[in-house]
Amino acid sequence: EATATAAPSEAEPAPGTALNACELVSADDVAAMLLALSGEEVTVAAGELTEEPTVLDPNKTDCRYADEWGGLVVSLTPTDGANLYDAARGSYTDAKDLEIAGADSAFWSADTNRGFFWKGSVTVMLQLTHTAAGGIDWEEATAMLGQAAIDKL
């Protein structure tokens, strides 16, 4: 009698981080960025976490922050991040490399207001959707939040 074994494609991948998207870029991280760049002390409400499993990464999560200060989307791909990063880097014609301490690679796209940060199997995509505070440089804001995320990996 044959014994059933899981096919390699059905094996549970080892996640690259035990954190979800809202933990990796927390409300405190967003508040610290807003204070540093606008000089305004803002209370940032907890983000709304959603699990967004994909065929390639069943551990993917998203976190959405939206309030009077503005909005931010954090997408965390902990298992198949390297493939996602390579695909994203090749598809953004305006990609500009960012220097993020501890990251394997990072880039910014001004056309989409997105930053991508990669370390090991983990990719983090950050997108500011709007800000109420004037004068905030979105690239700088995204880089600060990306650094906060990479520091936790």
Side-chain angles (χ1 to χ4, degrees):
E1 185 175 311
T3 57
T5 58
S9 62
E10 295 172 359
E12 187 70 22
T17 179
L19 302 175
N20 66 45
C22 289
E23 294 166 333
L24 197 61
V25 177
S26 69
D28 288 344
D29 294 328
V30 177
M33 175 275 294
L34 291 167
L35 178 61
L37 296 183
S38 73
E40 295 179 30
E41 202 162 311
V42 177
T43 300
V44 177
E48 181 183 325
L49 180 68
T50 55
E51 293 182 6
E52 297 287 338
T54 66
V55 172
L56 296 176
D57 196 332
N59 300 305
K60 183 180 180 297
T61 58
D62 287 349
C63 185
R64 295 186 185 280
Y65 293 96
D67 209 333
E68 292 177 11
W69 63 267
L72 171 71
V73 176
V74 181
S75 290
L76 169 64
T77 305
T79 306
D80 193 45
N83 288 332
L84 173 65
Y85 183 89
D86 290 341
R89 185 66 172 89
S91 67
Y92 287 86
T93 57
D94 72 323
K96 173 186 170 187
D97 290 334
L98 296 174
E99 294 294 322
I100 302 295
D104 293 333
S105 195
F107 75 88
W108 164 254
S109 165
D111 287 349
T112 60
N113 294 319
R114 289 181 178 172
F116 285 82
F117 306 86
W118 172 46
K119 184 173 182 178
S121 66
V122 179
T123 293
V124 180
M125 188 279 295
L126 302 173
Q127 182 176 18
L128 281 166
T129 58
H130 61 288
T131 57
I136 288 184
D137 180 285
W138 286 21
E139 178 183 341
E140 184 178 7
T142 302
M144 286 181 72
L145 295 171
Q147 185 67 68
I150 293 296
D151 288 347
K152 294 176 187 172
L153 296 177

